[in-house]
Amino acid sequence: MLTKQVSSAVADLGVAMNDKILILDFGSQYTQLIARNIRELNVYCEIQPCTKAVNYDSSLKGIILSGSPFSVNDPAAPTPDIAAMAANLPVLAVCYGAQLLAKQAGGEVGQSTHREYGRAHLYDISDDPFFATIPLGSQVWMSHSDTIKRLPDGFQLIARTDSIPVAAFKTSTAYAKHPVYAIQFHPEVTHSTDGRQLLKNFVTDVCGCKQDWTPAAFITETVARIKHQAGDKKVVMALSGGVDSTVAATLIHKAIGDNLYCIFVDNGLLRKGEFEQVLEGYKHLGLNTKGVDARRRFYKELDGVSDPETKRKIIGRLFIDVFHEESLKLTDVSFLGQGTIYPDVIESMSVHGPSQTIKSHHNVGGLPDIMHLSLIEPLRALFKDEVRRVGRELGIDEIFIGRHPFPGPGLGIRILGAVSEEKVIMLQEADAIYIQHLRDSGMYQHVWQAGAILLPVQSVGVMGDERTYEYTCALRAVTSVDGMTADWAHLPYELLGKISNDIINRVRGINRVVYDISSKPPATIEWE
């Protein structure tokens, strides 16, 4: 049986009713920050690789070119035709984009003679809609090694800094039908104090976008789209208890009611008491949900397996098997619902221009080759915090909306090395103590994701008069906006001390607790 996927192109997200800005990604670490800033202006935008052709549909109002780790003078650098874009729509070229524009139009770009990284201030700002309300001396953030040494003929300088003569410029009508603005700084980072205003000027004043992309508008459009797509047909969906699948299921249920059939599988790798708690929560939401206890099946196949990728594959395959077996008990099901969100799409599609995909995501593209079902993915256009805003607009309880992300393979990848039921119980207890302390201290809502990890490391300890030789538990807590990048959470030492003390005293088998202070990148949030 074959899954019929809806279009997986990043641009085909089914939100055509709103004005749209397209961001072409050249591999910059800041590209998603541009998207987030624009979306927070209630203007819809999408990211796609700079190597992909632009689809000039009627909703598209402007294009932004991101920065890049490349030099425009590198023979392998991406070089899409900016003039062709400007013949159709207004363009904003940021950093690398600005240098590429200058080079393509006949200017000169070369290596800077001095460092152009960090804070700078704008001077000689032109009277232009692009710089409306931007004050003289506005702080901006520079991050480039190349610089524009000579502007092309017919281009107009509209701002400088003390360190570089060409901080911003724009094209003449002789170059293209639509206005093109170019800046050698990054408005999307917080160090550019008026960067949000600058982006607003571009998307609203230059491109004419309406600021109407709100959670309420998204719900109305999405429910109407699902009704049209599904009609009176049945949808089956796997739930996890997480915010993504819960919000997605609620949207689908709002559209088709009890024609949505939900399945919640207990793989034995959930948090302590989670299976029962989540099922009860779904009952209150009115979702038609069946719980399936498959713990023994997962423990049996994971026995003795320590390689993390093998564990992931076993857990993923078994989940698919169990879900498929349960779905076959239903009749006349036509669609598979999924909680895919935009970061999943971005990473799996390698949207970061020339950069490489780090990992694939289990919830992008549907279940492989076993089900004759088309996909319904209501959240495919949203970042995680946008999913939460939609969930709150839907009235979903905070127990789901505020829940930390939890990996699909569950505790199976938080137990380093071989998984056993004994280790699962040990980690569940330690994790429950950790999370409860975070909740009681008020820190839970300030942390993006937290969890305990059981390390395959045993060390000597002393409890009372007895010598112990037990496991080490690592605590992980990070702050983030969407999980694409993350910093370790600076939890109070006193709180960490209480957590460590409680885990060691109450969880038999653990005699040492450590705290992970790694950021992403270079580390990942999960250990496996």
Side-chain angles (χ1 to χ4, degrees), residues 83-139:
M85 299 176 204
N88 291 278
L89 293 166
V91 175
L92 171 60
V94 177
C95 198
Y96 173 89
Q99 294 159 5
L100 180 61
L101 170 64
K103 182 177 180 180
Q104 287 186 351
E108 181 184 351
V109 179
Q111 193 166 25
S112 177
T113 56
H114 58 277
R115 193 166 180 249
E116 293 180 0
Y117 181 83
R119 293 173 178 83
H121 299 272
L122 295 179
Y123 299 104
D124 294 341
I125 298 174
S126 294
D127 182 13
D128 188 282
F130 182 64
F131 278 120
T133 74
I134 305 297
L136 190 69
S138 177
Q139 178 179 287

Side-chain angles (χ1 to χ4, degrees), residues 37-79:
N37 273 273
I38 293 173
R39 287 186 175 204
E40 287 169 9
L41 294 168
N42 292 333
V43 175
Y44 182 66
C45 69
E46 294 172 0
I47 302 171
Q48 77 172 42
C50 61
T51 51
K52 180 179 172 62
V54 176
N55 176 24
Y56 296 98
D57 65 70
S58 60
S59 66
L60 186 59
K61 303 300 181 184
I63 299 172
I64 297 178
L65 311 179
S66 82
S68 175
F70 279 100
S71 164
V72 296
N73 295 316
D74 186 332
T79 57

